[in-house]
Amino acid sequence: MAPCVWAAENKPTEEENTLLKLILKQSYPDGGYTVVAPDTSIFGGFSDASEETKKFKSGIAANLNIFGTNNVAITELIDRLYKRNEKPTRLTIQSVQKDGYLIDFDRKFEKYFAKDGGGWEKWYKENPKAHGFTNISLPVYDRMTGLVIVYKGTQSHWLAGRGNLILYRFQNGELKELTKAELWIS
């Protein structure tokens, strides 16, 4: 697997933006949307070389191992994902509510969880079509295999959330979700 070189470490590349738009695209029956954090994030700090980290990554790779992929390739993708997302990066894609996502650049929705912000109850009362909050990492794409891996965390109420590493295949301009590994749940 060839290493990926990023032209601009402090902002998403054009390729990453193309993938992010496809990853975030979804449809809600009421025409709603998910609110997306304006800065990328990823669950955990699994960039060290400890045995515990190696076991964790190996376990995730085993959970994602499908369709003839192998643990080594998946583990390398996971390594690249965590390396690429060591620091939060400001998203540069625009909100496309008809595609089901709004980037919270003005941090309006974040304020619901500040002191006296009203939480989920006020969020849904004032924004009935805002179907929760999404945190996303920059994706990593392997051109040789067509595999894409990304972290996506979603929260729709106090005890209704999950974070996954999701494995896709990117082909002919389209993404197909292959599988996911759950990292957390609330």
Side-chain angles (χ1 to χ4, degrees), residues 21-62:
K21 290 174 190 177
L22 292 171
I23 291 164
L24 290 170
K25 187 175 182 175
Q26 58 188 334
S27 123
Y28 293 93
D30 66 352
Y33 53 90
T34 185
V35 177
V36 180
D39 298 306
T40 62
S41 65
I42 192 165
F43 173 80
F46 305 105
S47 58
D48 67 26
S50 71
E51 281 305 310
E52 184 177 318
T53 297
K54 287 178 187 175
K55 283 181 183 179
F56 176 79
K57 287 180 185 176
S58 180
I60 291 173

Side-chain angles (χ1 to χ4, degrees), residues 15-113:
E15 184 175 78
E16 289 167 334
N17 279 339
T18 297
L19 293 168
L20 282 169
K21 290 174 190 177
L22 292 171
I23 291 164
L24 290 170
K25 187 175 182 175
Q26 58 188 334
S27 123
Y28 293 93
D30 66 352
Y33 53 90
T34 185
V35 177
V36 180
D39 298 306
T40 62
S41 65
I42 192 165
F43 173 80
F46 305 105
S47 58
D48 67 26
S50 71
E51 281 305 310
E52 184 177 318
T53 297
K54 287 178 187 175
K55 283 181 183 179
F56 176 79
K57 287 180 185 176
S58 180
I60 291 173
N63 285 336
L64 294 174
N65 187 21
I66 59 159
F67 302 118
T69 60
N70 62 55
N71 281 356
V72 174
I74 300 297
T75 302
E76 287 178 13
L77 277 176
I78 293 168
D79 287 340
R80 287 173 45 198
L81 180 72
Y82 278 94
K83 179 71 175 160
R84 178 62 173 121
N85 288 280
E86 283 179 327
K87 296 178 185 169
T89 302
R90 176 61 61 137
L91 293 175
T92 56
I93 61 174
Q94 297 302 307
S95 300
V96 183
Q97 284 187 326
K98 72 176 181 59
D99 285 345
Y101 62 91
L102 178 144
I103 313 295
D104 192 21
F105 286 118
D106 62 3
R107 302 203 186 267
K108 168 190 168 186
F109 289 88
E110 188 178 285
K111 294 175 185 171
Y112 287 101
F113 304 101

